[in-house]
Amino acid sequence: MGTVPTFSMAERDRRWDLARAFMEREGIDALLVFGEHEDAGPAPFAYDTWFTNGRAGTTVVFPRDGEPVSLLPMEMFTKDHLESARRGDVVWIAPENLRMPRDSRAIAAALGELGLERAAVGVVGLEPYPPWHPEGIVPHRLWDAVSTAFPAARFTPVGMALSRLIMALGPEEIAVVRHSARIGDAMVRAMVGTAAAGVPESEVYAAGMATGYAHGTTPAAMHFWTGPAPLASGPPQWSYRPQAPRVLEHGDVVSAEVFSNAGGRHTQHQVTLTIGEPHADLRRAADVARAAYDAGLHALRPGRTFGEAVDDIRKPYADAGGWEFGPAVHTLNPMIAAGGFPNDASRRMAGAGAYPPEDDHRPTMAADMVLEPGMTFALEPNYAYGRHLAYLGGTVIVGDDDAIELNPYTARLLRAEGPAPEQGGA
C-alpha cells in the first residue's frame, strides 16, 4: 500500500490556529470538547482527537490563549503516551498538559486552573449527533455538576459550527483519507475473492476485516447481510445474538457497508456482491443507483450547497418506478449531515405494517452547508425493485473544481470470484 502518511506538528499548528481563529470569531474564551469511547464504531464522536492526534475518549479544554489540556479516562492513556514519545512518534500534547480523570471534578479543576470561571466557553458535545446521540453525548449528571460549579461562566454549544470548520481537510488529512480509501478497496477485493457458494458468510466478513487489520488499521465492524435478496443494513445477526452464520448459495447477494479508518480519517465503501448472475431487477436497480452516483460526482462541487447536491443526486429516482432504501449521501470526517432520506421505505416491504411507520420524507440535514474543497462524503445511492436492492458507491472528496472519486471499484455491481476449486486426482 506504499508509504503510510502521518500527521506532523505543522498539521497540529494548522488545526490549533483554526481553533483559535474560530474562538476569536465566535467571541469565546475556550473550548470544552467531549470525546466518545475509542471503540464507538462507525461515525464516532471523536472531536477530541482532532486536537490531540491521540487515543479517542478524552475531554479537551482549549483556551484561546495557551495550550490545550487533555483529560484522560485512566492511567493507561499516560502509559501509551509515554511509550509513544519514547519511540519517537509525533505526539501533540505535552505530558504536563495531561490530567486524570475526566469526570466533572477534573473538568472543573481544569477550567479553574485556566482562569475560566467567568469565561465564555464553547462546548462540543451538547448538540445532537445523529444517529447515535440524538440529544448529545454529555451525561446529565456531569453537565449539571460543571454548570453548577461555574454559575458565572457562559456555556454555548458550538459543535455544529466547529464541525463545518474542520470538514474542509488539509493536505495531510487528504493524504490519509486517500490511504484509507485504498485500504477499503483492498478489504472489498478480499471479500470478492472469498465469496462463493458453499462458503460461510463469516469467512467473507473475516476476509475483509483481516485485510484491514493487515494493512495497519482497525476498521469498524462492517454492516453485512447476505441472502437471495437481503433488505437490511447493520451488523450480521451472529454478531449480536447466538446463531450460526449462513452458508452462501448460488444466487445470493452480499450487501455490505465497509468502514475503513486510517488514523481517525474515515472512508466508506458500499458493496453489492452477487454469487453468480445477478437477477434482472437487481441489474435495473443498479443502473438507477449508478445514474444517481454519476449525478453525485457532478453535483459535489465547491460553491454549491449540500441541499442542492442532494436534490441532484436523487433526480434519477423520480420516474424510475422502484423505491429508495436509505440516504444517498452523507458527510464524513465528521459525519454531521445526510441527505436523500426515503419517505416510504418501510411501506414497500412485506410485513412492514406491523412496525412503527417511518416519518414522512425528512429534510436534508445541514442543507445550507456550502461545499468547500477538502470536504469528504460517502456517496452511497441505492435503489430497489421489489426485494432486489442495489447499494453502491464509495468516498468522494470535493476538489478545487470537480469531485474526486476515490472508489470507482465499489460504484458498480460486483461478481464473486470465490476460492479456486480444488484439483481432483488423476
Side-chain angles (χ1 to χ4, degrees), residues 3 44 49 64 70 106 121 135 139 151 162 194 219-220 232 244 263 274 301 303 403:
T3 303
T49 65
R64 189 167 65 191
S70 181
V121 180
E135 307 294 340
L162 183 69
T194 303
T274 65
R301 290 180 285 115

Side-chain angles (χ1 to χ4, degrees), residues 13 43 150 152 157 173 187 222 345:
D13 294 343
F150 292 89
E173 291 180 295
M187 294 170 67
M222 69 176 76

Side-chain angles (χ1 to χ4, degrees), residues 317-364:
Y317 299 163
D319 300 313
W323 59 285
E324 50 185 319
F325 179 80
V329 61
H330 65 75
T331 61
L332 292 166
N333 306 306
M335 209 300 263
I336 61 168
F341 290 96
N343 61 358
D344 61 354
S346 66
R347 303 184 187 103
R348 296 293 190 109
M349 298 172 64
Y355 294 84
E358 294 180 358
D359 294 337
D360 285 339
H361 192 83
R362 287 170 283 178
T364 295

Side-chain angles (χ1 to χ4, degrees), residues 263-321:
R265 291 296 166 265
H266 299 258
T267 56
Q268 188 167 319
H269 313 256
Q270 299 299 135
V271 176
T272 301
L273 168 63
T274 65
I275 314 298
E277 187 70 20
H279 191 280
D281 282 344
L282 181 59
R283 286 187 180 278
R284 292 172 61 209
D287 288 342
V288 177
R290 178 67 206 206
Y293 180 84
D294 290 337
L297 294 180
H298 182 72
L300 292 169
R301 290 180 285 115
R304 308 196 73 212
T305 67
F306 182 54
E308 290 171 340
V310 170
D311 289 344
D312 284 355
I313 292 167
R314 297 184 68 245
K315 283 179 181 177
Y317 299 163
D319 300 313

Side-chain angles (χ1 to χ4, degrees), residues 15-389:
R15 296 185 193 182
W16 289 12
D17 288 345
L18 276 174
R20 293 186 179 104
F22 173 78
M23 287 186 271
E24 180 72 30
R25 187 165 59 250
E26 297 292 323
I28 54 181
D29 304 302
L31 293 170
L32 176 58
V33 183
F34 291 88
E36 190 175 19
H37 189 276
E38 59 192 348
D39 296 325
F45 192 95
Y47 292 82
D48 54 323
T49 65
W50 189 83
F51 293 90
T52 66
N53 194 30
R55 286 177 66 174
T58 65
T59 300
V60 176
V61 184
F62 196 147
R64 189 167 65 191
D65 301 312
E67 294 192 354
V69 169
S70 181
L71 307 179
L72 313 176
M74 57 183 174
E75 71 277 1
M76 280 296 185
F77 278 58
T78 61
K79 291 181 173 67
D80 288 1
H81 188 280
L82 175 58
E83 184 67 11
S84 294
R86 188 187 68 79
R87 295 184 180 194
D89 296 347
V90 179
V91 293
W92 289 3
I93 306 292
E96 59 269 22
N97 291 329
L98 302 177
R99 307 281 188 277
M100 284 187 298
R102 61 184 296 224
D103 59 12
S104 59
R105 288 179 296 177
I107 293 171
L111 292 172
E113 173 188 339
L114 295 171
L116 298 171
E117 295 90 343
R118 298 179 176 275
V121 180
V123 184
V124 178
L126 292 177
E127 294 163 283
Y129 190 77
W132 313 123
H133 305 292
E135 307 294 340
I137 71 163
V138 183
H140 170 77
R141 179 175 173 179
L142 181 150
W143 190 243
D144 183 64
V146 170
S147 55
T148 299
F150 292 89
R154 177 169 60 87
F155 295 104
T156 304
V158 297
M160 183 57 71
L162 183 69
S163 295
R164 295 193 182 193
L165 174 74
I166 69 178
M167 265 201 71
L169 307 184
E172 291 188 18
E173 291 180 295
I174 290 174
V176 173
V177 167
R178 288 182 177 275
H179 180 64
S180 178
R182 290 191 292 269
I183 293 173
D185 270 353
M187 294 170 67
V188 177
R189 290 181 188 278
M191 296 164 67
V192 170
T194 303
V199 173
E201 63 179 1
S202 53
E203 292 188 13
V204 179
Y205 185 98
M209 296 299 289
T211 300
Y213 298 141
H215 283 88
T217 69
T218 53
M222 69 176 76
H223 293 177
F224 182 95
W225 280 76
T226 73
L231 275 177
S233 180
Q237 309 96 295
W238 38 264
S239 71
Y240 53 83
R241 71 170 69 101
Q243 64 185 66
R246 287 185 71 253
V247 175
L248 296 177
E249 300 177 4
H250 187 78
D252 271 355
V253 173
V254 177
S255 180
E257 289 186 278
V258 175
F259 306 105
S260 182
N261 169 19
R265 291 296 166 265
H266 299 258
T267 56
Q268 188 167 319
H269 313 256
Q270 299 299 135
V271 176
T272 301
L273 168 63
T274 65
I275 314 298
E277 187 70 20
H279 191 280
D281 282 344
L282 181 59
R283 286 187 180 278
R284 292 172 61 209
D287 288 342
V288 177
R290 178 67 206 206
Y293 180 84
D294 290 337
L297 294 180
H298 182 72
L300 292 169
R301 290 180 285 115
R304 308 196 73 212
T305 67
F306 182 54
E308 290 171 340
V310 170
D311 289 344
D312 284 355
I313 292 167
R314 297 184 68 245
K315 283 179 181 177
Y317 299 163
D319 300 313
W323 59 285
E324 50 185 319
F325 179 80
V329 61
H330 65 75
T331 61
L332 292 166
N333 306 306
M335 209 300 263
I336 61 168
F341 290 96
N343 61 358
D344 61 354
S346 66
R347 303 184 187 103
R348 296 293 190 109
M349 298 172 64
Y355 294 84
E358 294 180 358
D359 294 337
D360 285 339
H361 192 83
R362 287 170 283 178
T364 295
M365 298 162 53
D368 64 336
M369 180 176 66
V370 177
L371 305 184
E372 300 177 35
M375 289 182 169
T376 51
F377 293 87
L379 180 56
E380 52 179 31
N382 52 87
Y383 206 71
Y385 288 103
R387 289 192 56 85
H388 296 281
L389 168 67

